[in-house]
Amino acid sequence: MHDTTSLLLELGALLLTLGLIGRFAGRIGLSPVPLYLLAGLAFGKGGLLPLDASEEFVAVGAEIGVILLLMTLGLEYSASELVGSLRTQYPSGLVDFVLNALPGALAGILLGWGPVGAVALAGVTWISSSGVVAKVLTDLGRLGNRETPAILGVLVIEDLSMALYLPLLTALVAGVGLAGGSIALVVALGTVVVVLYFALRHGHHLSRAVSSDNPEMLLLVVLGLTVLVAGIAQRLQVSAAVGAFLVGIALSGEVAEGAHRLLTPLRDLFAAVFFVFFGLSTDPAAIPPVLPVALLLAAVTVVTKVATGWYAARRAGVGTRGRFRAGGALVARGEFSVVIAGLAAATEPRILPLATAYVMLMVLLGPTTARWTEPLLTRLRGARGRGTAPAPHPRGVGAGAAANRRGQRR
Amino acid sequence: MGTRRIPLPGVGTQYDLTTESGGHLSVVVHHDGRRFLGVYRADDPDACESVALDPEEATALAHLIDPTRLEGIDTDGLDLVTEHIPVGSRSPYAGRLLGDTRARTRTGASIVAVLRRTSVHPSPGPDFRLGLGDTLVAVGTREGVDALAAIIGGG
């Protein structure tokens, strides 16, 4: 029997640990997601310090975390942005899907996981992390670059595709077979179209109905609406996450802005709990055996993502260097891959260690490839093209002396 | 001069500016309020050197660049000032009609425009509904404008 005291003790220790490692991640300029996963591994069964009193709370918190992740993601996009991106960028989205979902699907089949495992692993390798990519672009000062709209367009289409993919996966996990899966897909597609249409034409009515000057009321109404719709979506086998995403899209304007401001801290809390929960459900001993597969999958999908970015930027008429920058920026996978793996774990528990290892690799690789893909490939091309590396820029003693003088004058 | 507006979904909006002389600048308006000023590189016209500005810095820079100075309109003997007054979450007038503030009667200051994130409303009438996050552009004497700011701010 567990009493409230041990729940409080465990939960407090867990959150404090997360806060400390989050700070550490911030200091070394890293996304905290892989560290949260590691913390989950440490606290889980077979880890250093198993939790048991707070297990139930963490499980519910994780569920809320996924709902809030998708909800705030929906808030970031307006319906017109979604429709606009879909109209102009769909070929890039298609190339993205084919190049990046296939390696995962093939790996799933080769590992003998059956159709559900293959579909789930395809999703894990397909979806880039919008959070990491947007942060990296901002940090590197590339928001004004000409390839950036193409990169963001790919992300938007991926996020929108989730609204079709997650219900399909949910249905497959529930074991309804191909026919049931198709029905779920059609229902999801219909819902997405209806919500987009509604949000484009009448979104302001919902926003006005929800709107409140009192932050407390706004928080409660938006949170309540989101969780309720997520629950209804779950009941209809459409996946709670998608319901939440659609609520986020339907809200617009000031309400979306206010809700985003209010919900972001909550989301950060529960999303961290979700990542920990994912780590908790993973047996750390199962990770070393799958590491070679994860490394291979990472290597392949780095290349396919770079190719995706290259294609998307080329469609936007961007030069070679910008195409490589776009490719490198898209490499990071993160929160979505974890969400997908978490969903599939019900029927294919073997996906947990592989997805953990893969996401940790890709979250670490993403910012690195974003920074270095273009300089590296440009140098390689230059070396191959001219036979020798280009001569160094003639920066003589004079220039150095001038710089020194400038420095002294300060 | 040509400007182009490019939506950056999930991030904000980019405004591209090509000057008469062929120079190329862009400003990215981030959802979080930051502005990024980008100047394109000579060796790679797709890439820019970008400077991040927080909202106050962006306002200061805008005032430096703007050739038609908005503040301190020179009028004979009467010191008129222009002030931007935000309608914050504490304001009693967010969601209410502009007429309810009785701004001109009470302070003598005029509200000449309302700036909203997505649009600008010049010379709003008394039936204009103020929203949270709006910015009022008010013209009046120093005292009048300050009194108006206190009323709108809920002081």
Side-chain angles (χ1 to χ4, degrees):
Chain A
M1 202 188 81
H2 306 302
D3 54 337
T4 334
T5 318
S6 45
L7 172 78
L8 290 180
L9 284 173
E10 281 190 16
L11 204 59
L14 179 67
L15 293 180
L16 185 63
T17 313
L18 292 185
L20 292 178
I21 63 178
R23 268 176 68 169
F24 172 70
R27 185 156 304 171
I28 58 175
L30 204 73
S31 160
V33 172
L35 297 181
Y36 292 159
L37 291 177
L38 276 179
L41 286 177
F43 283 122
K45 289 191 177 62
L48 301 169
L49 214 121
L51 297 177
D52 46 78
S54 52
E55 219 170 16
E56 220 165 285
F57 179 87
V58 171
V60 175
E63 194 77 15
I64 296 177
V66 174
I67 290 172
L68 287 179
L69 263 178
L70 271 287
M71 157 70 178
T72 46
L73 185 74
L75 282 178
E76 278 174 19
Y77 300 132
S78 70
S80 55
E81 279 175 343
L82 286 174
V83 173
S85 292
L86 202 59
R87 202 172 284 156
T88 54
Q89 309 272 10
Y90 72 91
S92 306
L94 215 58
V95 166
D96 178 39
F97 168 68
V98 171
L99 284 181
N100 296 291
L102 273 186
L106 275 177
I109 292 167
L110 290 177
L111 289 167
W113 286 2
V116 181
V119 168
L121 204 52
V124 170
T125 58
W126 170 21
I127 306 295
S128 298
S129 163
S130 333
V132 174
V133 175
K135 183 174 184 309
V136 163
L137 288 177
T138 311
D139 290 350
L140 292 177
R142 290 198 191 153
L143 291 179
N145 282 16
R146 276 188 52 210
E147 73 271 8
T148 297
I151 297 173
L152 296 173
V154 169
L155 293 181
V156 174
I157 294 184
E158 283 181 357
D159 295 341
L160 197 55
S161 310
M162 281 295 91
L164 301 181
Y165 172 86
L166 287 180
L168 175 70
L169 186 64
T170 312
L172 288 178
V173 167
V176 293
L178 207 58
S182 329
I183 292 173
L185 199 60
V186 170
V187 171
L189 188 61
T191 317
V192 170
V193 169
V194 168
V195 167
L196 277 183
Y197 175 82
F198 175 81
L200 273 176
R201 289 288 152 85
H202 309 290
H204 54 278
H205 289 306
L206 177 67
S207 301
R208 197 177 305 156
V210 169
S211 173
S212 166
D213 293 336
N214 184 333
E216 188 181 335
M217 301 308 143
L218 183 64
L219 176 68
L220 291 177
V221 168
V222 172
L223 191 62
L225 182 70
T226 308
V227 175
L228 183 66
V229 171
I232 295 173
Q234 185 87 305
R235 179 61 53 85
L236 296 174
Q237 298 260 0
V238 187
S239 156
V242 170
F245 180 59
L246 293 176
V247 171
I249 288 173
L251 292 177
S252 61
E254 304 162 15
V255 176
E257 218 168 282
H260 198 278
R261 208 173 38 243
L262 290 168
L263 286 175
T264 302
L266 263 187
R267 180 210 49 197
D268 293 344
L269 170 65
F270 284 107
V273 169
F274 165 72
F275 291 123
V276 167
F277 178 69
F278 186 82
L280 281 178
S281 346
T282 312
D283 181 7
I287 289 188
V290 297
L291 214 49
V293 182
L295 275 169
L296 186 67
L297 211 51
V300 172
T301 53
V302 163
V303 175
T304 53
K305 265 297 175 191
V306 171
T308 305
W310 194 90
Y311 174 81
R314 197 187 68 150
R315 280 194 71 243
V318 173
T320 314
R321 294 176 61 178
R323 293 178 201 170
F324 288 135
R325 274 196 302 272
L330 277 170
V331 166
R333 317 289 206 283
E335 61 277 10
F336 270 115
S337 306
V338 183
V339 169
I340 292 165
L343 205 59
T347 53
E348 186 49 82
R350 283 173 293 179
I351 199 170
L352 290 174
L354 181 58
T356 306
Y358 177 76
V359 167
M360 280 202 248
L361 284 171
M362 294 312 265
V363 162
L364 297 179
L365 272 173
T368 319
T369 55
R371 175 76 186 82
W372 295 109
T373 303
E374 182 259 317
L376 187 73
L377 289 176
T378 304
R379 181 165 298 181
L380 283 179
R381 282 166 53 90
R384 208 176 44 204
R386 296 188 198 90
T388 52
H393 195 267
R395 185 196 295 255
V397 185
N404 273 341
R405 271 203 303 279
R406 242 196 332 269
Q408 278 162 7
R409 223 180 16 226
R410 281 238 179 119
Chain B
M1 184 192 87
T3 51
R4 218 152 59 96
R5 185 179 173 282
I6 305 160
L8 298 178
V11 172
T13 311
Q14 178 182 346
Y15 296 90
D16 253 14
L17 177 74
T18 312
T19 64
E20 209 64 69
S21 57
H24 186 190
L25 285 173
S26 74
V27 175
V28 172
V29 177
H30 203 290
H31 283 324
D32 67 11
R34 278 181 297 171
R35 302 288 188 269
F36 293 81
L37 182 64
V39 180
Y40 288 82
R41 296 219 300 253
D43 61 332
D44 183 355
D46 297 324
C48 63
E49 299 295 339
S50 154
V51 182
L53 300 164
D54 70 25
E56 289 81 43
E57 292 160 353
T59 309
L61 183 64
H63 278 298
L64 289 178
I65 292 176
D66 189 358
T68 58
R69 286 188 44 189
L70 215 70
E71 272 172 300
I73 300 163
D74 208 15
T75 41
D76 287 330
L78 187 63
D79 266 338
L80 286 181
V81 294
T82 307
E83 188 87 31
H84 285 196
I85 302 173
V87 182
S89 54
R90 292 231 197 87
S91 171
Y93 292 103
R96 291 178 59 188
L97 297 180
L98 185 56
D100 292 351
T101 63
R102 298 194 298 116
R104 194 159 341 168
T105 328
R106 287 160 77 184
T107 66
S110 298
I111 294 165
V112 296
V114 176
L115 313 178
R116 204 158 266 185
R117 198 166 60 88
T118 47
S119 52
V120 176
H121 302 270
S123 36
D127 56 347
F128 183 89
R129 193 171 288 281
L130 295 174
L132 187 63
D134 285 355
T135 299
L136 309 180
V137 182
V139 177
T141 58
R142 184 76 259 166
E143 298 76 41
V145 168
D146 286 347
L148 181 61
I151 290 171
I152 296 296

